[in-house]
Each structure stands twice: as structure tokens, then as C-alpha cells.
Amino acid sequence: MTYFQVNRKLLLMKIHYFLGIGGYAFAPFLTTISKQRGYSAFIVGLIFMLQPIPGLLIRPIVGAVTDKYKCRRSVFIASSIIMFVLVCLLSIIPGTTSKEELNDLDVLKSSLFWMFFTTIALIKMVGMARTVLEDTVCMDLLGEDKNNYGKQRLWGSIGWSLFAITSGACVDFYSAGLEYKNYAPGYVIASLCFLLDIYVVFNLKIVQENDTKTVASDVKKVFTEGKVLVFLLWVVFIGFFMSFIWYFVFWYLEDLSNEFHPETKSWMKTLQGTALLIQCFGGEVPSFIFSSYILKRVDHMTILSVVFFTFTVIFSLYTIIENPLWELPVELLSGITFAMSHSAAISYAALITPAGAEGTLQGVVGTAYTGIGAPIGSIVGGYMFKHIGSIATFKWLSVVAFLTCAVQIIVNYILRRLSKNDDVKDINRNVQTKNDHIKGEINLTF
């Protein structure tokens, strides 16, 4: 009896997630790369706030255009090629180093800074477009089994974590004896991943039906529903909280190392890569695997309530840690928050999407997540890290996450009650219609 089977139809999709998301393993190090350049926490927050702006509308635009003109395959291939070129360009931008934090105004006047920022922003923009396309293609391939999205997406987490720990270890090894870290190995690994991914995407089966007509009013109707608007608001908050984990945890670890455990500096990149490895295999992979089982039995909004409470626990734990090694177990929870919230958001968007507008809705959800929530979190995080410090920032953040969780539970309860009342009204209306129809038949008979 075969206990392990691979769906050949979805095999290339899994490989794409593994390589296409694994190639971004250098991204978490951009914060510490910026710090090594002498940029302040505020400048780093500014970078990650501004970088999504060029792509703020790219998700819904790409989704809508590829839905309308049936060009999803060609745009997907083009975005993969552009991503490879941009990462190669990032790797050759001159790297500066500074022992002291540079003046923010001097940084903003530097052409080298704007070259660095522009390349990162373009990578982010293309990446946002790719995310819409890959998730839409994945949902199309899944057909009626949309709750199995997590089982495909988990391969992206596996690739991300494996290439992250490999990149971190290679950077530490390559930088042995140097005063500053040399990130060249990370760029090489990312470039190879994206190069191989071009071949995978080119061979990926992407089919769009040409006879599907989507009425604009159908899409508009979805966005006028209260529960959908509230759902998008929660997605914005999730992006806000996730930005602190994506962009500032590595900075926080280096603060702990500098203040409490300087002996960890020499292998800090390996430690940071290990954090991503644990985040993946300890949190994301199990959560993605069981997400289909959970989503069939638990309401999407209830899952988001659990996610917000988990954020509260994570940020609270960050405030009591002194040894960077103790941050590693916390990454188990970070993996759960991302995997469960991402699976719930993508599958919910797929469920409410009118036929033929799959890309449009996925684009809007993605924009709320990484185009609105994450940028706001980035600039707020950068400002707070600079002015009150990392530990105080996470103390405030734990309070905000708890209040968000409480409000979200209350709002969901109210919406659920209103929804039940509407269902009762619909039933009564249908019963009344049937009674009127019966009376009409009786009158005709007599």
C-alpha cells in the first residue's frame, strides 16, 4: 500500500514555491545589511515603508489585467526573468560599511542609497506581482480543493528556510576574519534559485478559460459587503504585526547580542538563519499541512482571532529575552501566525471570488497584507526602534496586539449575529412567498 503520493499535476507548482520563495531568503538580511551601511532604524523603517509603494497598485492591476486579457502565463514568465536580473543588479551595487550611525539627512542625499533603495523597491514590486500570479495559478490547479492551498505553499517555506540557513552559514564562513559581513554568498544563492525558477515557470501548466465572463457589478458587490471589508481590515492589521517579525527581529537579535551576549556576534548570521529554519519547519510547515483540515472545521475569522492572540504572546516573549538563543523557540509561534493567517486569507479570498476575477481578489488581499499593513508597520517600527528601543517597542506592540484581538472577537460576534438575523429574514421571506403562491393557486382553483 502506498502511503505517500505526489500529485503530478501540482508537482511543478511545489517546485516553483520552493525555488521562487526560497530565492527571497536574502530578504531578511536586508535589515542588517542596511544597518551595516550605517543607516539608522528610522531609515530602515522608511525603506520598508516606501518600497511597497511602487507596487501598491501592482497586485490588483496585474490581477485584473491578466484576468481580462488572459495573459497570466506570459506575465508570470516575464516577472520571473525580471526578478533574476534585479537580484543580480542588487549584488553588484557597491557596499559601504560604517561603524557609526550616519546622519539621516546625509543618507537621504546619497545617490548610493537611492540606488540601493530603488533596486529593493523594484524587487518588491515584481515580487508582489509574482505572488498574485502564483497564488491564482495554484488555486486554479487545485480546483474544488482550495483548502489544500497550504500543502502547496508549505514548499515555499521549506525553500525559504533551507536557503536562509545556508545563506547565513555561508556568509559567516565567507566573512571569517573580516570586520564586516560579506553577503555575496547570499546573493549568489538567490540568483541561482531565481534562474532555475524561470525554467520551472516556463513549463508550468497555466490555463485560463476564455469563455468566462465576469460582470463588474459582481466584483463591486463583493467589496460592498460588510464582512468582506472587515476581513480586509484584519488582513491589514496582520500585515502590520508581521512587518515587525519580517524586518526588525534580526535587528533586535543584534541588539541583544551587543548588550548581553557579544560572544554570539561571530556566528550571528547562522543564528538568524537558524531562526528562519525553526520558523519554517517548527511552525509554518506543520501549520500549512494541517491548514486544510482546520479550515474545513473552523471559521476563517476564528482562525484570525487565534493569530492575533499569538502575536500578543510572541511580542510579550520578546520583551523578557536576553540571550539571542532563547529567541529561537519563539519562532515556532511566528511560523504559526504567518502560515495560518496566509492560508485563511488566500482561501477566503478564493471562496468569495466571482468566476473569472480570481486574480483581482487575490491582488486586493495581497495589497492589504503587504501593500498597506506591512509598510505602516515598517515606518512605525523604525521610528519606535530608534526613539524608545527594541524591547520597549515590543512591550507596546504586545498591548496593541491584545486590544486588536479583543476588538476582532467582538466585531466577529456582532457580524455573526447579524448574519444569522439576515438568514432568518431570508427564510421567513421565502416561506411568505411560498404561502402567497399557495393562496394564489387556491383562489384560482375555486
Side-chain angles (χ1 to χ4, degrees):
M1 181 180 292
T2 302
Y3 292 95
F4 180 76
Q5 294 181 339
V6 176
N7 188 330
R8 294 178 180 270
K9 178 183 176 183
L10 296 168
L11 180 59
L12 282 180
M13 195 71 235
K14 291 180 174 69
I15 296 175
H16 161 69
Y17 276 128
F18 181 80
L19 293 172
I21 295 178
Y24 291 106
F26 73 92
F29 297 106
L30 289 174
T31 301
T32 52
I33 290 173
S34 301
K35 185 179 182 181
Q36 183 170 289
R37 287 172 172 262
Y39 303 158
S40 70
F42 176 76
I43 290 294
V44 173
L46 189 67
I47 289 174
F48 290 108
M49 181 198 76
L50 294 177
Q51 67 162 351
I53 290 180
L56 186 61
L57 298 177
I58 199 69
R59 285 194 179 209
I61 289 175
V62 167
V65 169
T66 54
D67 282 343
K68 182 176 181 179
Y69 296 103
K70 313 303 177 186
C71 55
R72 192 171 294 151
R73 183 175 186 274
S74 58
V75 174
F76 202 0
I77 294 173
S79 66
S80 299
I81 296 173
I82 294 172
M83 180 62 72
F84 169 72
V85 173
L86 288 173
V87 172
C88 291
L89 178 61
L90 182 64
S91 67
I92 63 175
I93 292 177
T96 59
T97 54
S98 177
K99 291 183 178 181
E100 296 182 358
E101 188 176 286
L102 301 176
N103 181 275
D104 291 347
L105 290 178
D106 291 338
V107 171
L108 294 175
K109 293 177 182 178
S110 170
S111 58
L112 188 60
F113 165 77
W114 288 108
M115 185 185 302
F116 178 71
F117 166 76
T118 301
T119 306
I120 294 176
L122 289 173
I123 288 175
K124 182 70 174 181
M125 182 176 69
V126 177
M128 292 172 79
R130 277 165 53 90
T131 301
V132 175
L133 296 168
E134 66 193 12
D135 286 342
T136 305
V137 169
C138 183
M139 284 298 175
D140 287 342
L141 291 174
L142 286 171
E144 298 298 322
D145 300 322
K146 298 188 187 306
N147 284 332
N148 287 328
Y149 166 80
K151 294 180 180 178
Q152 319 311 316
R153 179 56 179 77
L154 70 87
W155 290 98
S157 296
I158 293 174
W160 168 279
S161 60
L162 289 179
F163 290 123
I165 183 64
T166 303
S167 298
C170 289
V171 168
D172 279 338
F173 177 79
Y174 197 70
S175 305
L178 301 178
E179 186 176 3
Y180 298 99
K181 298 294 183 181
N182 188 324
Y183 290 91
Y187 292 130
V188 171
I189 291 172
S191 298
L192 289 175
C193 286
F194 287 127
L195 181 62
L196 293 172
D197 189 49
I198 293 173
Y199 176 80
V200 174
V201 172
F202 192 85
N203 288 276
L204 193 62
K205 184 179 180 181
I206 304 174
V207 179
Q208 284 183 270
E209 299 295 335
N210 292 319
D211 58 350
T212 302
K213 294 183 179 179
T214 305
V215 180
S217 59
D218 293 338
V219 179
K220 184 178 179 180
K221 182 180 178 181
V222 171
F223 291 114
T224 57
E225 295 183 15
K227 63 179 181 180
V228 175
L229 295 176
V230 171
F231 161 70
L232 291 175
L233 177 62
W234 302 141
V235 172
V236 169
F237 272 98
I238 291 173
F240 175 84
F241 293 129
M242 283 303 306
S243 68
F244 285 83
I245 296 174
W246 289 338
Y247 305 137
F248 293 106
V249 168
F250 281 9
W251 189 297
Y252 161 72
L253 287 176
E254 295 195 357
D255 282 350
L256 293 180
S257 177
N258 292 330
E259 186 172 352
F260 300 109
H261 291 273
E263 73 277 5
T264 61
K265 288 183 180 180
S266 61
W267 44 279
M268 178 53 64
K269 299 302 122 181
T270 304
L271 175 63
Q272 291 169 341
T274 304
L276 293 179
L277 190 72
I278 293 175
Q279 185 182 110
C280 167
F281 287 99
E284 290 183 14
V285 169
S287 297
F288 276 131
I289 290 175
F290 291 107
S291 62
S292 60
Y293 176 85
I294 295 172
L295 287 170
K296 289 177 182 178
R297 293 162 176 80
V298 182
D299 179 73
H300 290 77
M301 296 301 106
T302 302
I303 290 177
L304 297 189
S305 300
V306 175
V307 168
F308 285 126
F309 179 76
T310 307
F311 276 128
T312 304
V313 175
I314 291 172
F315 298 142
S316 298
L317 291 174
Y318 283 157
T319 65
I320 61 176
I321 293 173
E322 290 187 356
N323 192 325
L325 286 173
W326 285 107
E327 188 271 343
L328 297 180
V330 183
E331 291 308 304
L332 293 172
L333 297 177
S334 298
I336 293 173
T337 55
F338 172 74
M340 291 308 304
S341 64
H342 192 72
S343 297
I346 295 299
S347 62
Y348 185 78
L351 290 173
I352 65 174
T353 302
E358 296 82 2
T360 304
L361 266 294
Q362 293 294 346
V364 171
V365 172
T367 298
Y369 201 127
T370 59
I372 299 176
I376 294 174
S378 299
I379 190 61
V380 172
Y383 180 86
M384 294 178 73
F385 261 58
K386 180 174 182 177
H387 292 281
I388 66 175
S390 55
I391 294 177
T393 296
F394 285 123
K395 284 182 179 179
W396 280 103
L397 208 58
S398 63
V399 175
V400 175
F402 178 77
L403 292 176
T404 304
C405 178
V407 172
Q408 195 252 359
I409 291 174
I410 294 171
V411 171
N412 289 340
Y413 174 78
I414 294 173
L415 289 176
R416 196 175 292 115
R417 289 295 300 269
L418 292 175
S419 177
K420 288 182 179 179
N421 291 338
D422 289 341
D423 291 341
V424 171
K425 289 179 180 179
D426 289 339
I427 293 173
N428 292 336
R429 191 180 299 110
N430 291 335
V431 170
Q432 183 63 41
T433 301
K434 289 181 179 179
N435 289 339
D436 291 342
H437 180 67
I438 293 172
K439 289 180 180 179
E441 288 182 343
I442 293 175
N443 290 335
L444 290 172
T445 302
F446 285 93

